[in-house]
Amino acid sequence: MIIKEAILNNISNGDRSKNKYDFLVYLYKENPKLLKEIFNDREKVDKHIQKLYTLLRGTVMEKKIASLYFVFIKEFTIGNEEALIQIVKRFPSIGKFFIKEQ
């Protein structure tokens, strides 16, 4: 699945624009079943949890994308509670993030 590979294999925002963020918000609002299917792969999600730390230290847009991935992992993946708690301890603002169209 091309969308799954684009979302999971390239977690960063390569072009530094809002396009990826807007696309992820659109998917969340219009097709959450697809995101649930994508984030069902526990092994890949575990790798992305580690990448969140890097994104959360990046540009403003990378932080927004990291926050989206955090919400997706929290909502669609089972068994990552401890890792998510550690992220919130280190980056408290991520726990206050909510998805809205911008």
Side-chain angles (χ1 to χ4, degrees):
M1 174 183 300
I2 294 173
I3 293 175
K4 179 178 181 178
E5 296 303 315
I7 291 172
L8 290 180
N9 287 343
N10 188 9
I11 193 169
S12 67
N13 189 33
D15 64 359
R16 302 201 188 283
S17 70
K18 265 185 67 186
N19 295 338
K20 185 170 187 175
Y21 179 85
D22 290 341
F23 176 66
L24 291 171
V25 170
Y26 172 79
L27 277 180
Y28 180 77
K29 296 207 179 267
E30 297 297 323
N31 199 350
K33 283 177 63 177
L34 176 64
L35 285 174
K36 183 176 178 138
E37 182 181 321
I38 290 171
F39 283 88
N40 197 23
D41 187 345
R42 174 81 189 265
E43 186 177 309
K44 287 193 177 199
V45 169
D46 288 344
K47 291 178 186 176
H48 289 300
I49 288 174
Q50 297 307 314
K51 292 180 183 179
L52 288 178
Y53 288 101
T54 303
L55 287 174
L56 287 166
R57 285 187 232 108
T59 66
V60 171
M61 189 51 62
E62 287 174 332
K63 290 175 185 176
K64 285 183 175 183
I65 288 176
S67 298
L68 277 176
Y69 276 102
F70 180 84
V71 169
F72 296 161
I73 292 168
K74 184 175 170 183
E75 189 168 327
F76 299 123
T77 308
I78 298 170
N80 293 330
E81 292 81 15
E82 186 60 36
L84 297 178
I85 289 169
Q86 294 302 317
I87 292 172
V88 172
K89 282 182 183 177
R90 188 146 181 211
F91 301 95
S93 64
I94 198 168
K96 300 172 189 158
F97 179 81
F98 64 95
I99 297 175
K100 63 179 180 177
E101 294 197 45
Q102 299 193 0

